[in-house]
Amino acid sequence: MSIEAMPPEDAVRGDVPVLEVEELSVTFARRGEQPTRAVDGVSFSVAAGETVGLVGESGCGKSVTSLAVMGLLPRRGVQVGGSVRLGGTELIGAPDRTLRRLRGSEMAMVFQDPLSSLNPTVSIGTQVTEVLVEHRDMGKKEAVAEAAALLDRVGIPDPTRRLKEYPHQLSGGMRQRALIAMALACSPRLLIADEPTTALDVTIQAQILELLRELVVDSGTALVMITHDLGVVAGLCDRVHVMYAGKIIETADRHDLFARPRQPYTGGLLASVPRLDAGRGVPLTPIRGSARDAIPWAEGCAFAPRCDNAQDDCLTEVAGSTVPLEYDGPGRELRCRHPLTYPAAPAGATASGAGR
Amino acid sequence: MTAAGEPLLRAEGLQVHFPIKRGVFFDRTVGHVRAVDGVDLAIDRGTTYGLVGESGCGKSTLGRAVLRLVEPTAGQVLFDGTDVASLKGEALRTMRRRMQMVFQDPLGSLDPRQDVESLLSEPLRAHGLGGGKVGIAARVRELLDAVGLPAAALRRYPHEFSGGQRQRIGIARAISLEPDLLIADEPVSALDVSVQAQVVNLLEELQQRLGLTYLVIAHDLAVVRHISDVVGVMYLGSLVEQAPSGVLYDEPLHPYTRALMSAVPVPDPVVEERRERILLAGDLPSPANPPSGCRFHTRCPWRQETRCDDEVPVLRELAPGHLVSCHWAEEIRDGVLRPKSPEEVAATQGVSVRATGAEGLETDALVQGVDEPIERR
Ligand SMILES: Nc1ncnc2c1ncn2[C@@H]1O[C@H](COP(=O)(O)OP(=O)(O)OP(=O)(O)O)[C@@H](O)[C@H]1O
Ligand SMILES: Nc1ncnc2c1ncn2[C@@H]1O[C@H](COP(=O)(O)OP(=O)(O)O)[C@@H](O)[C@H]1O
Ligand code: SF4
Ligand code: SF4
Ligand SMILES: [Mg+2]
Ligand SMILES: [Mg+2]
């Protein structure tokens, strides 16, 4: 790996996380409609070389969180509150010009649908070299060589020829690689990947996940991985935040999370997924209802209507306060009044999936 | 006539080739997409056959060909011992009633202007079943109950339901005519995990209660393994392996199956850390121009010079019920042959690891999977 792949300021900044998100909230207010709070007091941080996962079902606020971090939400009709700091620099309220500069150089994002994030009328080569010319002050020729090197690095065969091709000439997997190559063009300190493999076949997904894994190890990029796939989280993320209805409801190291989920929602998700290594007929235990049944957090735990552990004090009216996110042992945080409990593990017991 | 031992459904040498049209008026056929290219399979009564494979490998087309929603180019479909192609008129209608389909996108397959009551009673009326107004109303309630929807759902329209509830409506509609065979094409892939499990459980419960036979088509191996008795793995229009679900998982013999299974993430960090991963080189080749010999040879880590490139492997029975189409299955199983890394495979295959539809852009729209449900009468 080249030296430029390392963020030069790292030595100076020491332990400051690359990304710090604090009490982030996003409210959509359309005229004539009730405002909706899509993200509600979300806090997390990501250090260099760390992979942090945001998981949850459709509509829980994962994508809105990432768009808010990148400053990509429209200004009109959207209120963003809280704080997002990239290497200590506040991004909320920063001028568009600053955000645009940072997006090219310090932070980058990879989306689920690579076709819609690439310009269909411009060749892959031009799209990658543009980034290099603009953000790394390269000359045209130098940029072309570097672009080919980048495509090669993300595993695109015959890169020089691929540079001349247009997005629709590439397969889904190749497009996603091209997008990752563009995201890497400036060795960003932060990469946000929003369901980067959801649209891909599993064998291609495996290739892309391997690429992201290497990237984090080799260049110390801080990676935020957004996914609904618990299997992807299990294989890739160091720390995991589970979201429900706009809030983080549980945070843990991936081993702890999968071995001993505490939030009934997390436990329910794990019991719902069929596992390739479980036998035929091992029953699945679904969560009842759907994400549509959530109640507003102000009224109580949003998961209460679907929760088997719910009791009266899960409602704000009874308890006098909404359920807070609290310390739950080393490295863990939990938002729940009646969490799942586990008998003290006998010595030597292996922690295997609670979803079995 | 119906022998109990006879499989309910049998496909023999089934082929579906779609013409690729070019020219201003699309009047020139320049080639064929070999969506399904010679598939044999049999599904026993009351069992579930799971069909897996990556997008574009021909799973949906196979399902459609079984229902005669697309006309097979060659081969036969025998339903309950009768050649489906020979049926006409009333007999064809009856056969159609006995095979029903559940689609991936429940919203697209349900008429948005009909409320649930009319969605569920329409097929009954069309087939003269249910026995008059009162009978139909009772049957509709029974169906709602069977799929776990409240009676209040009757007066509501599809858009008022969540994805999982819509899929329940789709299933209720499919079982309304008391079919024998249910073909479910990606029945849960559009749903959230927690809801996915509800629908999977519902399908299993209905199978037990109604003695249904299922053909479940899905790209998610974990789902298919969970619900299937027998699993067939497709690659570029052909079956490359078929085995009882447990056997396939314990001892996958075809290199593609091995790679596919090693690529499926398991929601358990302990397993994820120690499992062997077989990464494949490159992308799926285009079904319009499949590789010679073994179709998997452009990506296969075990490929052996010339034989794999030239000779088409046949589906062989290596153990009872375990069929594999690979020249070297025994040697691979016994560890005599060692896999190459994806880099090596890519290097020996050069640029021929090209992506689907990379050459000749116009075909793109044609060669993309067409997954919308088809209107049925
Ligand atoms: N532009 C918008 N205007 C109004 N509401 C929005 C807008 N964008 C998102 N939302 C709402 O915000 C909530 C969170 O959406 P978000 O896209 O973050 O979900 P997600 O967790 O990424 O889901 P998925 O897994 O489906 O991608 C949803 O209820 C969504 O309907
Ligand atoms: N109506 C059609 N016309 C032309 N090509 C088609 C048509 N339907 C499917 N195909 C092609 O046949 C192949 C198999 O498609 P399909 O059966 O939908 O795959 P799967 O369901 O496994 O994803 C694909 O290459 C697809 O583009
Ligand atoms: S706070 Fe109450 S309702 Fe919410 S998850 Fe915990 S037990 Fe269930
Ligand atoms: S026949 Fe050859 S190329 Fe095909 S799967 Fe077997 S070893 Fe691989
Ligand atoms: Mg999203
Ligand atoms: Mg399909």
Side-chain angles (χ1 to χ4, degrees):
Chain A
M1 208 37 18
S2 63
I3 296 181
E4 1 168 273
M6 295 292 291
E9 304 93 323
D10 247 15
V12 186
R13 299 214 174 142
D15 276 349
V16 176
V18 173
L19 177 71
E20 292 164 287
V21 176
E22 250 173 70
E23 288 298 318
L24 180 69
S25 69
V26 179
T27 309
F28 293 100
R30 274 206 212 95
R31 226 183 310 164
E33 270 177 43
Q34 192 85 331
T36 53
R37 179 153 285 198
V39 176
D40 196 359
V42 163
S43 306
F44 65 95
S45 68
V46 195
E50 188 183 36
T51 303
V52 166
L54 293 183
V55 265
E57 291 177 289
S58 193
C60 71
K62 308 180 294 290
S63 298
V64 173
T65 302
S66 60
L67 292 173
V69 168
M70 294 291 292
L72 287 172
L73 287 168
R75 299 240 155 169
R76 297 190 60 181
V78 185
Q79 278 167 31
V80 181
S83 161
V84 172
R85 290 184 301 277
L86 182 71
T89 311
E90 180 61 53
L91 302 185
I92 302 291
D96 279 341
R97 197 162 33 83
T98 313
L99 288 173
R100 220 172 300 126
R101 183 178 53 75
L102 289 174
R103 272 200 297 272
S105 55
E106 303 258 314
M107 56 184 185
M109 187 156 170
V110 179
F111 298 88
Q112 171 173 348
D113 175 13
L115 200 53
S116 67
S117 16
L118 290 164
N119 184 340
T121 60
V122 179
S123 72
I124 296 290
T126 310
Q127 298 193 47
V128 182
T129 46
E130 261 173 12
V131 182
L132 294 168
V133 171
E134 185 176 336
H135 292 284
R136 275 174 57 185
D137 291 331
M138 285 189 180
K140 186 82 203 304
K141 237 175 148 182
E142 193 189 358
V144 171
E146 174 69 14
L150 278 168
L151 293 197
D152 187 49
R153 178 166 162 214
V154 297
I156 296 184
D158 201 2
T160 332
R161 195 159 56 88
R162 295 289 176 164
L163 287 176
K164 300 191 192 76
E165 293 185 326
Y166 291 81
H168 67 269
Q169 289 174 281
L170 304 181
S171 68
M174 287 297 165
R175 276 179 213 140
Q176 198 57 282
R177 284 167 196 269
L179 208 62
I180 293 177
M182 281 171 65
L184 298 187
C186 296
S187 319
R189 297 147 56 81
L190 172 69
L191 180 64
I192 301 183
D194 188 355
E195 307 262 8
T197 58
T198 304
L200 306 175
D201 280 319
V202 275
T203 59
I204 309 296
Q205 162 170 292
Q207 297 168 353
I208 299 288
L209 293 179
E210 192 57 37
L211 175 63
L212 290 173
R213 229 175 252 129
E214 279 171 23
L215 175 75
V216 170
V217 173
D218 292 349
S219 56
T221 306
L223 177 63
V224 176
M225 182 73 186
I226 294 177
T227 178
H228 67 273
D229 188 333
L230 291 161
V232 169
V233 173
L236 190 68
C237 302
D238 301 313
R239 221 141 35 82
V240 187
H241 302 281
V242 184
M243 288 183 71
Y244 193 78
K247 279 190 188 294
I248 290 178
I249 51 129
E250 180 161 23
T251 294
D253 156 75
R254 72 174 157 154
H255 284 280
D256 292 342
L257 188 82
F258 283 85
R260 284 176 302 280
R262 293 266 292 156
Q263 234 281 350
Y265 174 65
T266 316
L269 278 184
L270 285 170
S272 298
V273 269
R275 289 174 57 145
L276 189 61
D277 58 349
R280 155 124 167 89
V282 172
L284 303 180
T285 318
I287 305 174
R288 71 189 124 87
S290 72
R292 279 186 161 203
D293 301 322
I295 58 170
W297 282 104
E299 290 171 19
C301 173
F303 186 59
R306 305 174 72 191
C307 181
D308 286 338
N309 285 19
Q311 294 182 21
D312 288 349
D313 63 349
C314 298
L315 298 178
T316 311
E317 211 177 43
V318 177
S321 63
T322 44
V323 193
L325 186 66
E326 287 173 325
Y327 175 82
D328 186 41
R332 298 192 74 145
E333 283 188 312
L334 177 66
R335 189 188 296 278
C336 180
R337 292 219 162 95
H338 306 283
L340 305 174
T341 51
Y342 299 86
T350 53
S352 72
R356 272 178 204 264
Chain B
M1 268 210 327
T2 51
E6 172 78 5
L8 180 64
L9 184 84
R10 187 188 279 285
E12 284 169 3
L14 201 62
Q15 287 189 358
V16 183
H17 293 181
F18 295 107
I20 304 169
K21 304 274 194 190
R22 285 274 175 73
V24 188
F25 300 104
F26 286 86
D27 50 359
R28 210 156 39 91
T29 300
V30 294
H32 285 90
V33 175
R34 301 169 174 207
V36 176
D37 209 13
V39 169
D40 298 318
L41 60 82
I43 309 178
D44 288 331
R45 280 160 218 279
T47 66
T48 300
Y49 188 102
L51 198 58
V52 289
E54 295 176 284
S55 66
C57 71
K59 308 180 295 294
S60 300
T61 306
L62 181 71
R64 294 222 162 93
V66 166
L67 288 171
R68 304 250 332 272
L69 293 173
V70 295
E71 208 52 45
T73 311
Q76 273 193 326
V77 176
L78 301 169
F79 181 73
D80 211 356
T82 314
D83 183 353
V84 172
S86 70
L87 295 175
K88 300 220 165 46
E90 192 50 35
L92 181 62
R93 262 171 64 86
T94 308
M95 187 281 299
R96 283 243 159 113
R97 181 184 67 69
R98 295 180 59 196
M99 296 192 219
Q100 292 291 320
M101 187 137 184
V102 174
F103 296 99
Q104 167 172 2
D105 170 18
L107 198 54
S109 57
L110 299 172
D111 179 353
R113 291 156 309 187
Q114 291 187 12
D115 64 11
V116 171
E117 177 165 39
S118 94
L119 279 169
L120 294 184
S121 54
E122 183 204 79
L124 293 169
R125 229 171 270 130
H127 283 266
L129 296 172
K133 245 188 165 147
V134 183
I136 288 181
R139 174 81 180 126
V140 165
R141 262 162 229 279
E142 201 181 292
L143 284 169
L144 278 188
D145 198 45
V147 298
L149 286 174
L154 282 176
R155 298 266 158 269
R156 289 161 61 191
Y157 292 82
H159 70 91
E160 297 177 59
F161 293 93
S162 69
Q165 290 171 324
R166 276 183 220 133
Q167 196 55 291
R168 287 172 194 272
I169 300 169
I171 292 170
R173 201 170 137 94
I175 61 170
S176 65
L177 300 173
E178 299 182 10
D180 298 304
L181 176 70
L182 210 62
I183 299 186
D185 190 355
E186 304 278 4
V188 297
S189 45
L191 307 175
D192 270 332
V193 233
S194 68
V195 179
Q196 207 175 40
Q198 298 168 1
V199 174
V200 165
N201 285 357
L202 174 64
L203 285 171
E204 289 187 319
E205 180 202 316
L206 290 174
Q207 176 168 46
Q208 294 214 321
R209 247 182 39 208
L210 307 175
L212 291 165
T213 305
Y214 287 156
L215 172 57
V216 176
I217 298 170
H219 68 276
D220 185 332
L221 239 81
V223 167
V224 166
R225 161 158 167 88
H226 180 84
I227 56 177
S228 307
D229 299 293
V230 175
V231 176
V233 182
M234 272 184 95
Y235 188 76
L236 286 182
S238 313
L239 274 183
V240 294
E241 185 161 6
Q242 178 187 306
S245 151
V247 173
L248 190 80
Y249 175 76
D250 291 334
E251 195 178 42
L253 292 177
H254 195 281
Y256 177 64
T257 315
R258 289 184 159 211
L260 199 59
M261 295 226 283
S262 82
V264 177
V266 172
D268 184 339
V270 182
V271 174
E272 278 294 302
E273 267 162 24
R274 44 154 213 257
R275 66 205 287 247
E276 175 204 23
R277 242 177 265 277
I278 304 168
L279 281 185
L280 291 180
D283 285 299
L284 210 61
S286 163
N289 184 20
S292 62
C294 172
R295 292 189 169 181
F296 187 53
H297 86 251
T298 53
R299 301 169 80 195
C300 180
W302 282 271
R303 165 181 164 263
Q304 300 297 305
E305 288 281 328
T306 75
R307 185 171 182 203
C308 292
D309 311 352
D310 305 335
E311 194 184 321
V312 180
V314 292
L315 202 60
R316 306 179 282 138
E317 188 160 11
L318 258 71
H322 196 162
L323 309 174
V324 191
S325 80
C326 167
H327 296 307
W328 306 100
E330 290 89 344
E331 288 81 354
I332 293 169
R333 177 194 58 200
D334 301 339
V336 178
L337 293 178
R338 307 297 313 158
K340 293 194 184 68
S341 73
E343 289 76 22
E344 280 176 274
V345 176
T348 53
Q349 289 297 310
V351 286
S352 71
V353 291
R354 289 213 60 144
T356 314
E359 220 80 64
L361 325 168
E362 309 96 290
T363 61
D364 225 46
L366 281 173
V367 181
Q368 293 299 312
V370 192
D371 255 329
E372 353 26 288
I374 292 173
E375 268 306 308
R376 290 189 64 194
R377 282 292 141 213

